[in-house]
Amino acid sequence: MIVPLPERFAEFRHVVVITGAGISAESGIPTFRGEGGLWRNYRAEDLATPSAFRKDPQLVWEWYEMRREICRQAEPNAAHQTLVEMERHFREIGSFLLVTQNVDGLHRRAGNENIVEIHGSIWRVRCTECGRECERLHLDTVPPHCSCGGVERPAVLWFGESYDSIVLETVRAALEKADVCLVIGSSGQVSLPVALAREARRSGAMVVEVNLERSEFSDVADFSFFDKAGSALPELWASWRKLIR
Ligand code: APR
């Protein structure tokens, strides 16, 4: 249940949202660190790495194809829809940026537009030979091959790889001017998003967390609402809208 929000929420104009796997859980997409996070007894950390791909591209692609099929069947839920309403509101009076760790594409399918997929997209591939990147909703072969003959990998950020510096600059610039940073459905096990929320707080933004349980973000947050995103986020937005004159 969302407690009455501080009057300060009425003044917010610039909003940055950081989402994690928890926002897609109610759409039927398993999170990484809850149950269902394993596949053939492999963890994400065992498969989402350059060395795992070099060793067995077929196995890694079978894992991604399984996840792509789950994502294909999934529908955006009430939490995703709430972020679309929020973007439509705040882009008129200020700014709105959605920073997602999720690769499932559900935010775009829900209708959000100003999105930064900091961990890439499960729907895009990149050639390991020529570097060409493109969208591949369906794979003719597993692993897929580029027109140059090279093997294509998922265009996602793997463990041990670096974040795109231009993407990070975009996110940091938005956090600099943010009035509020919402963090939804992330354990904070990956440290960069937690560091980003900390930077936002240092720049004067309020940090608000919606998560099923305490996370690495909880000590950074001014407020934490421990509930399912699919119910807590619509409630939060309904309370927030009541404050907006
Ligand atoms: N509503 C809100 N939060 C939820 C829900 C829900 N319905 N269901 C689960 N959660 C919470 C869990 O309690 C957990 O804290 O969502 C969080 C999901 O955490 P992770 O599974 O660690 O996912 P995430 O934080 O997105 O992982 C970050 O790690 O494996 C890498 O690249 C991968 O992007 C991923 C990154």
Side-chain angles (χ1 to χ4, degrees), residues 139-150:
L139 305 184
D140 302 333
T141 59
V142 176
H145 287 77
C146 173
S147 49
C148 81

Side-chain angles (χ1 to χ4, degrees), residues 20-40:
I23 199 169
S24 297
E26 290 159 84
S27 297
I29 300 178
T31 61
F32 289 93
R33 295 170 181 87
E35 75 270 359
L38 287 181
W39 175 74
R40 295 185 200 168

Side-chain angles (χ1 to χ4, degrees), residues 155-204:
V156 298
L157 187 71
W158 279 337
F159 291 97
E161 294 184 320
S162 312
Y163 284 88
D164 178 319
S165 54
I166 297 170
V167 161
L168 282 190
E169 265 169 49
T170 307
V171 172
R172 288 200 154 106
L175 287 169
E176 270 290 310
K177 69 174 192 179
D179 299 314
V180 61
C181 175
L182 290 186
V183 181
I184 303 160
S186 182
S187 64
Q189 292 298 310
V190 167
S191 57
L192 180 100
V194 181
L196 291 175
R198 199 169 275 118
E199 284 172 32
R201 185 117 191 261
R202 267 204 298 275
S203 306

